[in-house]
C-alpha cells in the first residue's frame, strides 16, 4: 500500500495566484481530512469528508479556500487567490475503520 | 467546542533520561490517540486508548488513559536520539473528527 499520496510536495507561488493541492487517500478509507500546520497555530483541521461528502468545513479560513472530493480516490484543496499568510504545510489524511488516521507527506506551500 | 490541552510545550532532556507528556480535557473522552511527528515529517499514529484506566506499552513507551477518561499521558523511558520529534494527543469529538492537542516537542541531547 502506497499510503496517502499528496502532490505537489512543494509549491512556491506569488500572491494572488491560484493554488491547487491534491490528495489520494488510502483505498477503502471512507473519511478524508485536510489539515494546515504552522508554527504559530499548530495543526488545524480545515475540512473533512465522509463518503465523499463534506461533513465539517468550519475550519476553512475564508471563501478563498475550497475543497472537493469528486470520488473516493481523489480530493483537492484550492486557494484562490493565495496570500502570504496561507504559507504553511498542508496535510491530507484518511481514516481507517479502526479510527486510526494516516497522514500524507504534506505539501509545503510558500506564497511570496 | 471540545478542547484538548497538552503540556509541556517543549522538553529538552539528556539522552537516557525519561520524558512524559500530558493531555487533559474538561469533558469525558470516548478515546484518545497519540501521534509522533519527526522534524520535517508528518504525524504518524502510535496508539489508541479506549478503556478507562487503560495502560499500553510499546517498548520504551507507556501510554495511560485516566480513570475518568479526561486525561492521558505518554511516558518514554531512557530516551534516545531517535525519540526526537513532536508528540500529539488527539481525541474524537461528537462529530467524529479528531481534535489535536498543541503537541509536546521533545529534544534529546546526545
Amino acid at each position: 500500500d502506497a499510503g496517502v499520496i499528496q502532490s505537489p510536495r512543494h509549491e512556491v507561488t506569488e500572491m494572488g495566484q491560484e493554488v491547487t493541492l491534491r490528495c489520494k487517500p488510502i483505498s477503502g478509507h471512507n473519511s478524508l481530512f485536510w489539515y494546515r500546520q504552522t508554527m504559530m497555530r499548530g495543526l488545524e483541521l480545515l475540512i473533512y469528508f465522509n463518503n465523499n461528502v463534506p461533513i465539517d468545513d468550519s475550519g476553512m479560513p475564508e471563501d478563498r479556500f475550497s475543497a472537493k472530493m469528486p470520488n473516493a480516490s481523489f480530493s483537492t484543496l484550492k486557494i484562490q487567490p493565495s496570500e502570504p499568510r496561507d504559507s504553511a504545510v498542508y496535510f491530507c489524511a484518511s481514516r481507517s475503520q479502526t479510527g486510526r488516521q494516516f497522514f500524507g507527506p504534506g505539501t509545503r506551500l510558500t506564497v511570496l | 467546542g471540545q478542547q484538548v490541552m497538552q503540556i509541556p510545550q517543549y522538553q529538552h532532556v539528556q539522552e537516557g533520561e525519561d520524558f512524559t507528556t500530558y493531555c487533559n480535557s474538561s469533558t469525558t473522552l470516548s478515546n484518545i490517540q497519540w501521534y509522533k511527528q519527526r522534524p520535517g515529517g508528518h504525524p504518524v499514529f502510535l496508539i489508541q486508548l479506549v478503556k478507562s484506566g487503560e495502560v499500553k506499552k510499546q517498548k520504551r513507551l507507556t501510554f495511560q488513559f485516566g480513570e475518568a477518561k479526561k486525561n492521558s499521558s505518554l511516558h518514554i523511558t531512557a530516551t534516545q536520539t531517535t525519540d526526537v520529534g513532536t508528540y500529539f494527543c488527539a481525541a474524537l469529538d461528537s462529530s467524529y473528527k479528531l481534535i489535536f492537542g498543541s503537541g509536546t516537542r521533545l529534544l534529546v541531547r546526545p
Side-chain angles (χ1 to χ4, degrees):
Chain A
D1 193 338
V4 176
I5 298 172
Q6 288 187 249
S7 66
R9 294 293 307 275
H10 301 272
E11 176 83 23
V12 181
T13 190
E14 292 189 342
M15 183 174 64
Q17 296 297 306
E18 177 179 296
V19 174
T20 299
L21 311 181
R22 297 173 177 79
C23 176
K24 177 178 167 52
I26 292 174
S27 177
H29 287 188
N30 295 332
S31 298
L32 182 141
F33 304 80
W34 282 100
Y35 292 87
R36 177 172 68 177
Q37 188 174 42
T38 61
M39 288 294 291
M40 291 296 294
R41 301 174 70 92
L43 194 60
E44 303 174 275
L45 176 65
L46 301 177
I47 186 170
Y48 94 89
F49 295 85
N50 197 41
N51 293 321
N52 312 339
V53 176
I55 302 299
D56 187 338
D57 65 354
S58 58
M60 295 286 262
E62 48 199 271
D63 293 345
R64 297 185 298 106
F65 285 68
S66 62
K68 293 182 180 179
M69 192 165 185
N71 57 62
S73 58
F74 184 65
S75 177
T76 59
L77 177 68
K78 187 176 292 187
I79 309 172
Q80 165 64 15
S82 58
E83 297 182 3
R85 61 192 168 120
D86 302 330
S87 298
V89 180
Y90 289 82
F91 290 107
C92 174
S94 66
R95 185 163 69 196
S96 69
Q97 298 278 14
T98 63
R100 172 179 172 177
Q101 278 190 198
F102 294 77
F103 283 76
T107 295
R108 183 172 295 276
L109 173 65
T110 302
V111 183
L112 303 174
Chain B
Q2 183 168 300
Q3 283 191 318
V4 175
M5 308 303 292
Q6 194 173 352
I7 56 169
Q9 191 175 3
Y10 298 97
Q11 187 86 47
H12 202 173
V13 300
Q14 186 71 41
E15 189 173 20
E17 291 181 339
D18 292 357
F19 160 78
T20 305
T21 173
Y22 301 90
C23 197
N24 293 287
S25 170
S26 58
T27 59
T28 302
L29 304 172
S30 58
N31 69 16
I32 192 103
Q33 297 182 12
W34 286 91
Y35 290 77
K36 176 184 178 181
Q37 184 177 19
R38 286 200 162 97
H42 57 276
V44 174
F45 175 86
L46 293 176
I47 208 157
Q48 176 170 265
L49 304 172
V50 179
K51 299 177 185 175
S52 167
E54 190 170 13
V55 178
K56 287 188 177 179
K57 292 191 176 184
Q58 290 179 351
K59 298 183 181 178
R60 294 178 294 103
L61 278 61
T62 302
F63 303 85
Q64 291 189 320
F65 201 7
E67 293 289 342
K69 300 182 76 172
K70 289 185 175 182
N71 58 75
S72 180
S73 65
L74 157 58
H75 180 83
I76 302 178
T77 303
T79 54
Q80 299 175 358
T81 55
T82 53
D83 296 324
V84 164
T86 301
Y87 293 84
F88 293 95
C89 62
L92 272 181
D93 76 357
S94 55
S95 62
Y96 299 100
K97 65 179 188 274
L98 272 182
I99 305 299
F100 279 82
S102 53
T104 296
R105 186 178 173 191
L106 172 63
L107 302 170
V108 180
R109 289 188 297 268

